[in-house]
Structures are given as structure tokens and as C-alpha cells.
Amino acid sequence: MLLVMLLLPLAACVSVRGAWSLHAIHKGIHQSGRVQQVGELPCFAVADSDEAMRAPPELRSLDVFEIVDGPDKSIWEWSFSRNPPVSLAPDDCIAYGSNNGRGEERLGSAPLLRPGVTYGFRFNSIIRFGNDENDYGNREYFGEFCLSLDSVGKFQVHDLRRDKSGAEMCGIEYGR
């Protein structure tokens, strides 16, 4: 009876089709994402981990949101095509407002971003562990960023997870 009680929570995490494999639980579903600058826009990328280098994540959705008190406020969402799947290598990124025709926008066109606001993004994806189509795990890549204006009025993107000093340049308090 004690053995059943110990194994029951573990069994609840493992599906028959393999969607929640033990490997996915061990490696961690939540991963760090990266924000870089392309032109004056933020460009969203997955972690440059060994796992993502071996098997680029297959994207399911991208959500960009404003971080506010209470629930975050989604401002731009994208649902990616599953057939064929859209993979994102760690050295590639998707610029805000564009997905190169690889899916479907869910909240309408991307609104203009504002300096001095804390934003976040989240990729929902899966990562393949082998050749079996059922051998995969869920991954969520998350990042936070803000925008400031430079001396000539152009946007500068600051990845807050990688450089907390960017918050000062954006004129925000950052401590999430």
C-alpha cells in the first residue's frame, strides 16, 4: 500500500502516449528564453541550451504580454502551424509583430510597444527526444524585456533576465 501511495503521484505525470515523459519532468519544462534586438524590435529566441541545440523546439504558440499588477495582459499571440512543424534553432529568433507567415495571429496585429513598460514573452513548444513521434516533452521558454529611447529617439531593447541594469535605462523597477 505504501508503494502505491508513493508511485501514484509519479504515475499521474506519465501519459500513455508519452506526452509527459519522465525525461521531460527531469529536464524541466520551464526554460529561459532570450530577447535580442533586430532593428528597433525585440526578437524572441529559445534558450541556447545543449538540449535545444540537439533538437530545436517545435513551436506551438508565442504570447507577448505586458507585466502588470494582477494577471499579465496579453498584447500579441501567435499559434504556429503543426503541419509542417515550425522549429526554432537557438541562433534564430522571431521578431515582434512577424512570424514569417508560419501560423495564425490570435489577437489581431501587434500593437506598438512603449518605452518604460515591462513586457514578457512565452513560447510553448515541444522537444523531440528520439525518432518515435510519441517521445517528446513540453517546454515553455520565458523572458522579460523593456524598451528605452536612445539619444536620437530610437528604441533600445533590454533583456531583463540577462541584464537587470536595463531596467534603470527603461525607468522601471524590476525585481520579478
Side-chain angles (χ1 to χ4, degrees):
M1 183 64 162
L2 179 61
L3 182 59
V4 170
M5 288 173 38
L6 292 172
L7 292 177
L8 191 56
L10 181 60
C13 294
V14 180
S15 80
V16 175
R17 296 190 43 85
W20 293 95
S21 71
L22 291 176
H23 186 74
I25 293 168
H26 173 71
K27 286 289 195 179
I29 291 172
H30 302 286
Q31 303 285 320
S32 180
R34 296 178 295 119
V35 181
Q36 49 201 57
Q37 184 161 340
V38 172
E40 291 186 67
L41 295 174
C43 198
F44 310 110
V46 300
D48 52 356
S49 65
D50 290 340
E51 179 182 75
M53 299 264 197
R54 278 192 307 274
E58 293 177 16
L59 303 180
R60 295 298 186 240
S61 65
L62 168 61
D63 181 24
V64 179
F65 47 91
E66 189 174 324
I67 298 175
V68 295
D69 289 335
D72 297 334
K73 178 184 167 192
S74 286
I75 59 171
W76 186 60
E77 292 181 7
W78 204 271
S79 180
F80 291 94
S81 170
R82 292 184 184 195
N83 193 12
V86 175
S87 295
L88 188 65
D91 59 350
D92 197 7
C93 65
I94 295 178
Y96 178 72
S98 169
N99 85 334
N100 302 327
R102 301 183 287 184
E104 173 184 330
E105 226 164 2
R106 296 193 306 214
L107 290 179
S109 60
L112 293 176
L113 298 173
R114 302 180 323 267
V117 175
T118 306
Y119 295 100
F121 79 93
R122 180 181 307 109
F123 278 121
N124 287 312
S125 67
I126 64 168
I127 195 156
R128 303 271 176 201
F129 301 125
N131 294 330
D132 182 349
E133 72 178 52
N134 296 320
D135 190 14
Y136 65 90
N138 296 317
R139 292 293 181 272
E140 184 175 274
Y141 297 90
F142 177 78
E144 295 174 316
F145 66 100
C146 64
L147 302 172
S148 66
L149 293 174
D150 67 13
S151 61
V152 293
K154 293 190 181 247
F155 284 130
Q156 297 297 306
V157 177
H158 304 277
D159 184 334
L160 295 172
R161 291 271 172 116
R162 301 204 185 297
D163 179 17
K164 294 192 184 347
S165 67
E168 184 177 320
M169 300 199 57
C170 292
I172 60 171
E173 285 188 37
Y174 181 74
R176 200 170 164 150

